[in-house]
Amino acid sequence: MQAVLVLNCGSSSIKFAVIDSGDKTTVLEGLAERLNSAGAVVTVKHNGEKQSLAIADANHEQALVNIVDLITSHCQHKIIGIGHRVVHGGERFSASCRIDAEVLAGIEACSHLAPLHNPANIAGIVAAQKAYPTLPQVAVFDTAFHQTLPETAYLYALPYAYYQDYGVRRYGFHGTSYRYIAQAIPDYNAGVLPEKVIIAHLGNGASVCALKNGQSVQTSMGMTPLDGLVQGTRSGDIDPAIVSFLADHTGKSHADITDELWKQSGLLGVSQLTNDCREIETGAEQGEPACTRALAIFNARLVEVIASYAGVLNGVDALVFTGGIGENSSTVRGKVLQQLSYLGFAADDDKNHATCRGQAGNIAAANHKPVWVIPTDEEAMIAADTLALIQ
Ligand code: ADP
C-alpha cells in the first residue's frame, strides 16, 4: 500500500494527512501545534481514534520527526511522495511543481509577499527533506489558480511602478480549494461545467471567485488574504485611508493597526465576542444585537461581492458554497440567496437545511439556477497533484 503525505505548515503548526494513493482515502491525519513553545503538542487521528503527544519546545523539524514516527507506528502504508501547501507563489508559479533547489529559491523569493506564511512553508519543506531525503516533494500554491486573472482584475489603480518594482497586485488565495470545486462541479451537473460560476469559499478565511469556463477571472482576496469579504478576524475591504486616520487619532503605529485588521476585526471585531460563525449565529438567534449586526454585515458584503461578480461575468449560471460556513450555515446561504433572487436564485428551504455536515448537492428551488453545496478538499487536491507529478 502506497500513500502521499500532505503537509500544511503554519508559523507554529503543521497540519498533516496521509492519503492512500490508490483509493484516495485519508488513512491518518493530525496537527502539530504551538510549535516552539512549552505547550507544543501533536495530535493524530487514525481509525476514529485520537492520540496526543507532548513535544515541548519542538520546532518544525523536531515535530516532523515525531509525525514520521507516528505515521510509521500507525499505518502500513509506504510514503512515496510529499505534497506541501505553499501559500504564495507570486507570478512565478501558475501550477504545482516538483521541489528542487530552484523552486525552493523561488518560494523564498515570494516570502516578502507572505512574510508569515512562506517562511513556515519553507521550514516544512526543509524539515521534510531531512526526514525523507530520498522522496520527491511537490509544492501546491494557494495563488496559482488565480494566475489566469486578467490585468483589469489583478492591477490596483496605484502608481504602476509599485507593480513593476514590488509586485503589488491582486494574487488571490484559496486557489487549491477553487480548483478542487471547479473539477467537482461536473459531478453535480450531468458532467458539464457551466460557463459562468461564482464560488464562495466561506471559512475563517473567506473569499469569492468568479469562474469563466473553469478559469479564475476575479477573486476577492488581493495581494494578501486580508482583502475582500468580512472574515473571522480579518476586516476585508476597508477605505485604505482609515489606517492613517487611526494612526493619527489613536497614536497607534501603522503596524499595530494593520495587525488589528488581521486579527481583531471581521466577525470578531464587530461582534466583540467571537470569530466563530456558529457562535455568532447562536447569539443572533438569542437576540444579541452585536451578533445580529456582525452576521448582517458579513452577509451584506458577501451579497455585494457575488452580485458584482455576476457583472464581471456578464451573467451567472450557478453558485457554489464551500468552506466551514458555506458547507454548514443554511442561515447565511438562505439570506444571501434571498438577496440574489433578481439573478434567478432561490433556496429550497428543506434542501438548504438538510445540506450540511459534509452533505453535498443542489439546494436551489425548482425552476431556479443551481446552487451547489460542495465540501472542499484541499488535501485531496494536493495529494492528486503530488501523485501526478511524481508518477
Ligand atoms: P478555515 O478557514 O480555518 O479552514 P473552516 O473552513 O473550517 O475555516 O470554517 C470555520 C468556520 O465555519 C467557523 O466560523 C465556524 O463557526 C463555521 N461553521 C462550522 N460549522 C458551522 C455551522 N453549523 N453553522 C455555521 N457556521 C459553521
Short mmCIF file of all heavy atoms in Angstrom, two decimals, residues 15 174 201-206 232 234 267 275-281 322-332 356-357 376 378, ligand 1:
data_model
loop_
_atom_site.label_atom_id
_atom_site.label_comp_id
_atom_site.label_asym_id
_atom_site.label_seq_id
_atom_site.Cartn_x
_atom_site.Cartn_y
_atom_site.Cartn_z
N LYS A 15 -0.15 20.89 9.84
CA LYS A 15 -1.32 20.03 9.62
C LYS A 15 -0.85 18.94 8.67
O LYS A 15 -0.16 19.25 7.68
CB LYS A 15 -2.42 20.88 8.98
CG LYS A 15 -3.82 20.45 9.25
CD LYS A 15 -4.79 21.49 8.71
CE LYS A 15 -6.07 20.78 8.34
NZ LYS A 15 -6.95 21.61 7.54
N HIS A 174 -6.93 30.72 -1.68
CA HIS A 174 -7.90 29.60 -1.69
C HIS A 174 -7.92 28.91 -3.06
O HIS A 174 -8.89 28.23 -3.40
CB HIS A 174 -9.34 30.11 -1.40
CG HIS A 174 -9.58 30.43 0.06
ND1 HIS A 174 -10.42 31.44 0.45
CD2 HIS A 174 -9.12 29.86 1.19
CE1 HIS A 174 -10.46 31.50 1.78
NE2 HIS A 174 -9.67 30.54 2.24
N HIS A 201 -16.02 30.56 -1.02
CA HIS A 201 -15.32 29.73 -0.03
C HIS A 201 -15.38 30.50 1.29
O HIS A 201 -14.67 31.49 1.48
CB HIS A 201 -13.87 29.47 -0.46
CG HIS A 201 -13.10 28.69 0.56
ND1 HIS A 201 -12.52 27.47 0.29
CD2 HIS A 201 -12.84 28.92 1.88
CE1 HIS A 201 -11.94 27.01 1.39
NE2 HIS A 201 -12.12 27.89 2.37
N LEU A 202 -16.26 30.05 2.18
CA LEU A 202 -16.50 30.79 3.42
C LEU A 202 -16.04 29.97 4.62
O LEU A 202 -16.75 29.07 5.06
CB LEU A 202 -18.01 31.10 3.55
CG LEU A 202 -18.68 31.73 2.31
CD1 LEU A 202 -20.18 31.87 2.54
CD2 LEU A 202 -18.04 33.08 2.00
N GLY A 203 -14.85 30.26 5.08
CA GLY A 203 -14.35 29.62 6.30
C GLY A 203 -13.97 30.73 7.25
O GLY A 203 -14.51 31.83 7.17
N ASN A 204 -13.02 30.45 8.11
CA ASN A 204 -12.47 31.51 8.94
C ASN A 204 -11.86 32.58 8.06
O ASN A 204 -12.03 33.78 8.28
CB ASN A 204 -11.40 30.91 9.85
CG ASN A 204 -11.57 31.39 11.24
OD1 ASN A 204 -12.13 32.45 11.50
ND2 ASN A 204 -11.08 30.58 12.16
N GLY A 205 -11.14 32.12 7.04
CA GLY A 205 -10.76 32.99 5.92
C GLY A 205 -11.85 32.82 4.87
O GLY A 205 -12.31 31.70 4.66
N ALA A 206 -12.27 33.91 4.24
CA ALA A 206 -13.39 33.78 3.30
C ALA A 206 -13.09 34.57 2.03
O ALA A 206 -12.52 35.67 2.09
CB ALA A 206 -14.67 34.29 3.95
N GLY A 232 -13.33 35.85 9.57
CA GLY A 232 -13.40 35.55 11.01
C GLY A 232 -12.81 36.68 11.85
O GLY A 232 -13.48 37.26 12.70
N ARG A 234 -10.51 39.00 10.09
CA ARG A 234 -9.95 39.98 9.14
C ARG A 234 -11.05 40.92 8.67
O ARG A 234 -12.18 40.50 8.44
CB ARG A 234 -9.35 39.26 7.93
CG ARG A 234 -8.23 38.32 8.28
CD ARG A 234 -7.77 37.55 7.05
NE ARG A 234 -6.96 36.41 7.43
CZ ARG A 234 -6.86 35.29 6.72
NH1 ARG A 234 -7.51 35.16 5.58
NH2 ARG A 234 -6.10 34.29 7.13
N LEU A 267 -15.74 39.27 11.90
CA LEU A 267 -16.83 38.86 12.80
C LEU A 267 -16.46 39.14 14.25
O LEU A 267 -17.29 39.60 15.05
CB LEU A 267 -17.13 37.36 12.62
CG LEU A 267 -17.77 36.93 11.30
CD1 LEU A 267 -17.88 35.40 11.24
CD2 LEU A 267 -19.15 37.55 11.12
N ASN A 275 -14.91 35.01 16.71
CA ASN A 275 -14.76 34.94 15.26
C ASN A 275 -15.52 33.73 14.70
O ASN A 275 -15.53 33.49 13.51
CB ASN A 275 -13.28 34.80 14.89
CG ASN A 275 -12.68 33.52 15.43
OD1 ASN A 275 -12.83 33.21 16.61
ND2 ASN A 275 -12.02 32.75 14.59
N ASP A 276 -16.14 32.96 15.59
CA ASP A 276 -16.76 31.69 15.20
C ASP A 276 -18.19 31.93 14.73
O ASP A 276 -19.05 32.36 15.51
CB ASP A 276 -16.74 30.75 16.42
CG ASP A 276 -17.13 29.35 16.02
OD1 ASP A 276 -18.28 29.16 15.61
OD2 ASP A 276 -16.28 28.44 16.13
N CYS A 277 -18.44 31.63 13.46
CA CYS A 277 -19.75 31.95 12.87
C CYS A 277 -20.89 31.21 13.58
O CYS A 277 -21.98 31.75 13.74
CB CYS A 277 -19.72 31.60 11.38
SG CYS A 277 -21.21 32.04 10.52
N ARG A 278 -20.60 29.98 14.01
CA ARG A 278 -21.64 29.21 14.71
C ARG A 278 -22.09 29.95 15.96
O ARG A 278 -23.28 30.07 16.24
CB ARG A 278 -21.06 27.84 15.13
CG ARG A 278 -21.84 26.68 14.65
CD ARG A 278 -21.07 25.42 14.91
NE ARG A 278 -19.61 25.65 14.80
CZ ARG A 278 -18.71 24.69 14.79
NH1 ARG A 278 -19.08 23.45 14.90
NH2 ARG A 278 -17.42 24.95 14.69
N GLU A 279 -21.10 30.45 16.74
CA GLU A 279 -21.44 31.16 17.98
C GLU A 279 -22.15 32.47 17.67
O GLU A 279 -23.06 32.89 18.40
CB GLU A 279 -20.18 31.44 18.80
CG GLU A 279 -19.59 30.18 19.40
CD GLU A 279 -18.26 30.45 20.10
OE1 GLU A 279 -18.04 31.58 20.57
OE2 GLU A 279 -17.43 29.52 20.14
N ILE A 280 -21.74 33.12 16.59
CA ILE A 280 -22.40 34.37 16.18
C ILE A 280 -23.86 34.08 15.83
O ILE A 280 -24.77 34.83 16.21
CB ILE A 280 -21.70 34.97 14.95
CG1 ILE A 280 -20.23 35.28 15.25
CG2 ILE A 280 -22.46 36.17 14.39
CD1 ILE A 280 -19.91 36.67 15.64
N GLU A 281 -24.08 32.98 15.12
CA GLU A 281 -25.47 32.65 14.74
C GLU A 281 -26.30 32.34 15.98
O GLU A 281 -27.45 32.76 16.08
CB GLU A 281 -25.49 31.44 13.79
CG GLU A 281 -25.04 31.82 12.40
CD GLU A 281 -25.24 30.70 11.38
OE1 GLU A 281 -25.73 29.62 11.75
OE2 GLU A 281 -24.89 30.94 10.22
N THR A 322 -18.89 26.72 -0.28
CA THR A 322 -17.99 25.75 0.34
C THR A 322 -17.28 26.39 1.53
O THR A 322 -17.53 27.56 1.86
CB THR A 322 -16.98 25.20 -0.71
OG1 THR A 322 -16.32 24.07 -0.16
CG2 THR A 322 -15.95 26.25 -1.11
N GLY A 323 -16.40 25.64 2.22
CA GLY A 323 -15.76 26.13 3.45
C GLY A 323 -16.70 25.89 4.63
O GLY A 323 -17.90 25.60 4.43
N GLY A 324 -16.17 25.99 5.83
CA GLY A 324 -16.95 25.66 7.04
C GLY A 324 -18.30 26.35 7.11
O GLY A 324 -19.32 25.73 7.45
N ILE A 325 -18.35 27.65 6.78
CA ILE A 325 -19.62 28.39 6.83
C ILE A 325 -20.47 28.03 5.61
O ILE A 325 -21.66 27.74 5.73
CB ILE A 325 -19.36 29.91 6.89
CG1 ILE A 325 -18.55 30.25 8.16
CG2 ILE A 325 -20.67 30.69 6.86
CD1 ILE A 325 -18.05 31.69 8.22
N GLY A 326 -19.85 28.01 4.44
CA GLY A 326 -20.58 27.72 3.21
C GLY A 326 -21.18 26.32 3.21
O GLY A 326 -22.27 26.10 2.69
N GLU A 327 -20.46 25.38 3.84
CA GLU A 327 -20.94 23.99 3.85
C GLU A 327 -21.99 23.75 4.92
O GLU A 327 -22.74 22.77 4.85
CB GLU A 327 -19.75 23.03 4.09
CG GLU A 327 -18.79 22.99 2.91
CD GLU A 327 -17.45 22.34 3.28
OE1 GLU A 327 -17.43 21.48 4.18
OE2 GLU A 327 -16.43 22.69 2.65
N ASN A 328 -22.02 24.63 5.93
CA ASN A 328 -22.86 24.33 7.09
C ASN A 328 -23.94 25.35 7.43
O ASN A 328 -24.93 25.00 8.07
CB ASN A 328 -21.97 24.17 8.34
CG ASN A 328 -21.12 22.93 8.25
OD1 ASN A 328 -21.65 21.83 8.25
ND2 ASN A 328 -19.81 23.10 8.14
N SER A 329 -23.73 26.60 7.06
CA SER A 329 -24.68 27.61 7.53
C SER A 329 -25.83 27.81 6.55
O SER A 329 -25.73 28.57 5.58
CB SER A 329 -23.97 28.95 7.78
OG SER A 329 -24.95 29.90 8.12
N SER A 330 -26.95 27.15 6.84
CA SER A 330 -28.13 27.35 5.99
C SER A 330 -28.65 28.77 6.16
O SER A 330 -29.29 29.32 5.27
CB SER A 330 -29.21 26.32 6.34
OG SER A 330 -29.48 26.36 7.70
N THR A 331 -28.35 29.39 7.32
CA THR A 331 -28.80 30.77 7.56
C THR A 331 -28.12 31.73 6.59
O THR A 331 -28.77 32.52 5.91
CB THR A 331 -28.44 31.19 9.01
OG1 THR A 331 -28.84 30.15 9.87
CG2 THR A 331 -29.08 32.48 9.40
N VAL A 332 -26.78 31.65 6.52
CA VAL A 332 -26.05 32.55 5.62
C VAL A 332 -26.49 32.28 4.18
O VAL A 332 -26.82 33.20 3.43
CB VAL A 332 -24.51 32.35 5.77
CG1 VAL A 332 -23.75 33.03 4.64
CG2 VAL A 332 -24.05 32.88 7.13
N CYS A 356 -25.84 20.01 5.06
CA CYS A 356 -24.75 20.49 5.90
C CYS A 356 -24.02 19.28 6.48
O CYS A 356 -24.36 18.14 6.15
CB CYS A 356 -25.24 21.43 7.00
SG CYS A 356 -26.62 20.84 7.91
N ARG A 357 -22.99 19.55 7.27
CA ARG A 357 -22.17 18.48 7.87
C ARG A 357 -21.71 17.44 6.84
O ARG A 357 -21.98 16.25 6.96
CB ARG A 357 -22.91 17.79 9.02
CG ARG A 357 -22.90 18.64 10.29
CD ARG A 357 -23.66 17.97 11.40
NE ARG A 357 -25.09 18.05 11.19
CZ ARG A 357 -25.83 19.12 11.47
NH1 ARG A 357 -25.28 20.19 11.97
NH2 ARG A 357 -27.12 19.10 11.25
N THR A 376 -15.26 21.26 0.30
CA THR A 376 -13.97 21.34 -0.35
C THR A 376 -13.00 20.32 0.22
O THR A 376 -13.23 19.79 1.32
CB THR A 376 -13.38 22.76 -0.25
OG1 THR A 376 -12.30 22.87 -1.19
CG2 THR A 376 -12.89 23.10 1.15
N GLU A 378 -8.96 20.37 0.09
CA GLU A 378 -7.66 20.85 -0.41
C GLU A 378 -6.60 19.76 -0.31
O GLU A 378 -5.73 19.65 -1.17
CB GLU A 378 -7.25 22.11 0.36
CG GLU A 378 -8.10 23.31 -0.03
CD GLU A 378 -8.14 24.41 1.01
OE1 GLU A 378 -8.79 24.18 2.06
OE2 GLU A 378 -7.57 25.48 0.79
P1 ADP B 1 -10.63 27.67 7.98
O1 ADP B 1 -10.65 28.89 7.11
O2 ADP B 1 -9.92 27.89 9.27
O3 ADP B 1 -10.25 26.40 7.24
P2 ADP B 1 -13.25 26.40 8.14
O4 ADP B 1 -13.45 26.22 6.67
O5 ADP B 1 -13.01 25.21 8.98
O6 ADP B 1 -12.14 27.51 8.44
O7 ADP B 1 -14.54 27.19 8.69
C1 ADP B 1 -14.63 27.59 10.02
C2 ADP B 1 -15.90 28.40 10.16
O8 ADP B 1 -17.02 27.57 9.83
C3 ADP B 1 -16.12 28.90 11.58
O9 ADP B 1 -16.54 30.25 11.56
C4 ADP B 1 -17.26 28.01 12.07
O10 ADP B 1 -18.04 28.64 13.03
C5 ADP B 1 -18.04 27.83 10.78
N1 ADP B 1 -19.00 26.74 10.92
C6 ADP B 1 -18.78 25.43 11.10
N2 ADP B 1 -19.96 24.77 11.27
C7 ADP B 1 -20.95 25.70 11.20
C8 ADP B 1 -22.37 25.68 11.31
N3 ADP B 1 -23.02 24.55 11.54
N4 ADP B 1 -23.04 26.85 11.19
C9 ADP B 1 -22.40 28.00 10.97
N5 ADP B 1 -21.05 28.10 10.85
C10 ADP B 1 -20.33 26.97 10.97
#
